[in-house]
PDB file of all heavy atoms in Angstrom:
ATOM      1  N   PHE A 196      45.379 136.584  77.387  1.00 90.00           N
ATOM      2  CA  PHE A 196      44.774 135.427  78.041  1.00 90.00           C
ATOM      3  C   PHE A 196      44.507 134.325  77.020  1.00 90.00           C
ATOM      4  O   PHE A 196      44.835 133.159  77.252  1.00 90.00           O
ATOM      5  CB  PHE A 196      43.475 135.836  78.742  1.00 90.00           C
ATOM      6  CG  PHE A 196      42.908 134.787  79.655  1.00 90.00           C
ATOM      7  CD1 PHE A 196      43.274 134.761  80.987  1.00 90.00           C
ATOM      8  CD2 PHE A 196      42.019 133.835  79.193  1.00 90.00           C
ATOM      9  CE1 PHE A 196      42.759 133.800  81.849  1.00 90.00           C
ATOM     10  CE2 PHE A 196      41.501 132.875  80.042  1.00 90.00           C
ATOM     11  CZ  PHE A 196      41.872 132.864  81.376  1.00 90.00           C
ATOM     12  N   ILE A 197      43.922 134.714  75.892  1.00 92.00           N
ATOM     13  CA  ILE A 197      43.631 133.738  74.832  1.00 92.00           C
ATOM     14  C   ILE A 197      44.923 133.130  74.299  1.00 92.00           C
ATOM     15  O   ILE A 197      45.010 131.921  74.074  1.00 92.00           O
ATOM     16  CB  ILE A 197      42.815 134.398  73.702  1.00 92.00           C
ATOM     17  CG1 ILE A 197      41.411 134.745  74.211  1.00 92.00           C
ATOM     18  CG2 ILE A 197      42.735 133.488  72.479  1.00 92.00           C
ATOM     19  CD1 ILE A 197      40.595 135.595  73.265  1.00 92.00           C
ATOM     20  N   ASN A 198      45.941 133.942  74.123  1.00 91.00           N
ATOM     21  CA  ASN A 198      47.216 133.444  73.617  1.00 91.00           C
ATOM     22  C   ASN A 198      47.883 132.497  74.618  1.00 91.00           C
ATOM     23  O   ASN A 198      48.494 131.508  74.230  1.00 91.00           O
ATOM     24  CB  ASN A 198      48.150 134.605  73.293  1.00 91.00           C
ATOM     25  CG  ASN A 198      49.406 134.160  72.602  1.00 91.00           C
ATOM     26  OD1 ASN A 198      49.406 133.214  71.826  1.00 91.00           O
ATOM     27  ND2 ASN A 198      50.497 134.838  72.889  1.00 91.00           N
ATOM     28  N   PHE A 199      47.748 132.802  75.908  1.00 90.00           N
ATOM     29  CA  PHE A 199      48.421 132.010  76.943  1.00 90.00           C
ATOM     30  C   PHE A 199      47.717 130.684  77.209  1.00 90.00           C
ATOM     31  O   PHE A 199      48.357 129.641  77.301  1.00 90.00           O
ATOM     32  CB  PHE A 199      48.507 132.832  78.232  1.00 90.00           C
ATOM     33  CG  PHE A 199      49.367 132.225  79.291  1.00 90.00           C
ATOM     34  CD1 PHE A 199      50.747 132.201  79.153  1.00 90.00           C
ATOM     35  CD2 PHE A 199      48.811 131.684  80.437  1.00 90.00           C
ATOM     36  CE1 PHE A 199      51.558 131.639  80.134  1.00 90.00           C
ATOM     37  CE2 PHE A 199      49.612 131.129  81.425  1.00 90.00           C
ATOM     38  CZ  PHE A 199      50.983 131.103  81.267  1.00 90.00           C
ATOM     39  N   LEU A 200      46.394 130.696  77.330  1.00 91.00           N
ATOM     40  CA  LEU A 200      45.643 129.482  77.681  1.00 91.00           C
ATOM     41  C   LEU A 200      44.824 128.905  76.530  1.00 91.00           C
ATOM     42  O   LEU A 200      44.184 127.878  76.687  1.00 91.00           O
ATOM     43  CB  LEU A 200      44.719 129.747  78.875  1.00 91.00           C
ATOM     44  CG  LEU A 200      45.408 130.059  80.193  1.00 91.00           C
ATOM     45  CD1 LEU A 200      44.396 130.359  81.269  1.00 91.00           C
ATOM     46  CD2 LEU A 200      46.327 128.934  80.611  1.00 91.00           C
ATOM     47  N   ARG A 201      44.817 129.578  75.408  1.00 93.00           N
ATOM     48  CA  ARG A 201      44.110 129.127  74.208  1.00 93.00           C
ATOM     49  C   ARG A 201      42.595 129.051  74.417  1.00 93.00           C
ATOM     50  O   ARG A 201      41.918 128.208  73.836  1.00 93.00           O
ATOM     51  CB  ARG A 201      44.618 127.767  73.720  1.00 93.00           C
ATOM     52  CG  ARG A 201      46.094 127.709  73.442  1.00 93.00           C
ATOM     53  CD  ARG A 201      46.448 128.563  72.239  1.00 93.00           C
ATOM     54  NE  ARG A 201      47.789 128.288  71.751  1.00 93.00           N
ATOM     55  CZ  ARG A 201      48.806 129.112  71.877  1.00 93.00           C
ATOM     56  NH1 ARG A 201      48.641 130.277  72.453  1.00 93.00           N
ATOM     57  NH2 ARG A 201      49.985 128.811  71.401  1.00 93.00           N
ATOM     58  N   MET A 202      42.069 129.941  75.256  1.00 93.00           N
ATOM     59  CA  MET A 202      40.619 130.058  75.423  1.00 93.00           C
ATOM     60  C   MET A 202      40.293 131.424  76.010  1.00 93.00           C
ATOM     61  O   MET A 202      41.148 132.073  76.608  1.00 93.00           O
ATOM     62  CB  MET A 202      40.050 128.948  76.305  1.00 93.00           C
ATOM     63  CG  MET A 202      40.444 128.977  77.745  1.00 93.00           C
ATOM     64  SD  MET A 202      39.561 127.787  78.791  1.00 93.00           S
ATOM     65  CE  MET A 202      39.645 126.303  77.887  1.00 93.00           C
ATOM     66  N   SER A 203      39.064 131.844  75.807  1.00 93.00           N
ATOM     67  CA  SER A 203      38.643 133.152  76.305  1.00 93.00           C
ATOM     68  C   SER A 203      38.428 133.089  77.816  1.00 93.00           C
ATOM     69  O   SER A 203      38.291 132.011  78.406  1.00 93.00           O
ATOM     70  CB  SER A 203      37.344 133.576  75.619  1.00 93.00           C
ATOM     71  OG  SER A 203      36.286 132.718  76.013  1.00 93.00           O
ATOM     72  N   THR A 204      38.366 134.255  78.423  1.00 93.00           N
ATOM     73  CA  THR A 204      38.151 134.313  79.870  1.00 93.00           C
ATOM     74  C   THR A 204      36.781 133.749  80.239  1.00 93.00           C
ATOM     75  O   THR A 204      36.640 133.094  81.268  1.00 93.00           O
ATOM     76  CB  THR A 204      38.279 135.756  80.399  1.00 93.00           C
ATOM     77  OG1 THR A 204      37.395 136.602  79.684  1.00 93.00           O
ATOM     78  CG2 THR A 204      39.689 136.267  80.269  1.00 93.00           C
ATOM     79  N   SER A 205      35.779 133.991  79.400  1.00 93.00           N
ATOM     80  CA  SER A 205      34.439 133.467  79.707  1.00 93.00           C
ATOM     81  C   SER A 205      34.425 131.939  79.641  1.00 93.00           C
ATOM     82  O   SER A 205      33.814 131.283  80.492  1.00 93.00           O
ATOM     83  CB  SER A 205      33.394 134.066  78.769  1.00 93.00           C
ATOM     84  OG  SER A 205      33.710 133.769  77.433  1.00 93.00           O
ATOM     85  N   ASP A 206      35.094 131.355  78.647  1.00 94.00           N
ATOM     86  CA  ASP A 206      35.177 129.893  78.569  1.00 94.00           C
ATOM     87  C   ASP A 206      35.949 129.331  79.761  1.00 94.00           C
ATOM     88  O   ASP A 206      35.588 128.279  80.301  1.00 94.00           O
ATOM     89  CB  ASP A 206      35.843 129.451  77.267  1.00 94.00           C
ATOM     90  CG  ASP A 206      34.973 129.690  76.048  1.00 94.00           C
ATOM     91  OD1 ASP A 206      33.744 129.855  76.224  1.00 94.00           O
ATOM     92  OD2 ASP A 206      35.521 129.719  74.930  1.00 94.00           O
ATOM     93  N   PHE A 207      36.990 130.028  80.167  1.00 95.00           N
ATOM     94  CA  PHE A 207      37.770 129.613  81.323  1.00 95.00           C
ATOM     95  C   PHE A 207      36.900 129.600  82.574  1.00 95.00           C
ATOM     96  O   PHE A 207      36.943 128.651  83.365  1.00 95.00           O
ATOM     97  CB  PHE A 207      38.976 130.540  81.513  1.00 95.00           C
ATOM     98  CG  PHE A 207      39.844 130.185  82.679  1.00 95.00           C
ATOM     99  CD1 PHE A 207      40.805 129.193  82.577  1.00 95.00           C
ATOM    100  CD2 PHE A 207      39.717 130.858  83.898  1.00 95.00           C
ATOM    101  CE1 PHE A 207      41.617 128.858  83.662  1.00 95.00           C
ATOM    102  CE2 PHE A 207      40.521 130.539  84.972  1.00 95.00           C
ATOM    103  CZ  PHE A 207      41.477 129.536  84.853  1.00 95.00           C
ATOM    104  N   GLU A 208      36.098 130.645  82.764  1.00 95.00           N
ATOM    105  CA  GLU A 208      35.235 130.732  83.940  1.00 95.00           C
ATOM    106  C   GLU A 208      34.179 129.622  83.938  1.00 95.00           C
ATOM    107  O   GLU A 208      33.872 129.043  84.982  1.00 95.00           O
ATOM    108  CB  GLU A 208      34.560 132.107  84.022  1.00 95.00           C
ATOM    109  CG  GLU A 208      35.506 133.259  84.278  1.00 95.00           C
ATOM    110  CD  GLU A 208      36.278 133.122  85.580  1.00 95.00           C
ATOM    111  OE1 GLU A 208      35.731 132.591  86.573  1.00 95.00           O
ATOM    112  OE2 GLU A 208      37.443 133.545  85.615  1.00 95.00           O
TER     113      GLU A 208
END
Side-chain angles (χ1 to χ4, degrees):
F196 191 90
I197 292 171
N198 188 34
F199 190 72
L200 294 177
R201 304 292 194 251
M202 68 172 47
S203 67
T204 55
S205 59
D206 289 341
F207 180 82
E208 293 300 325

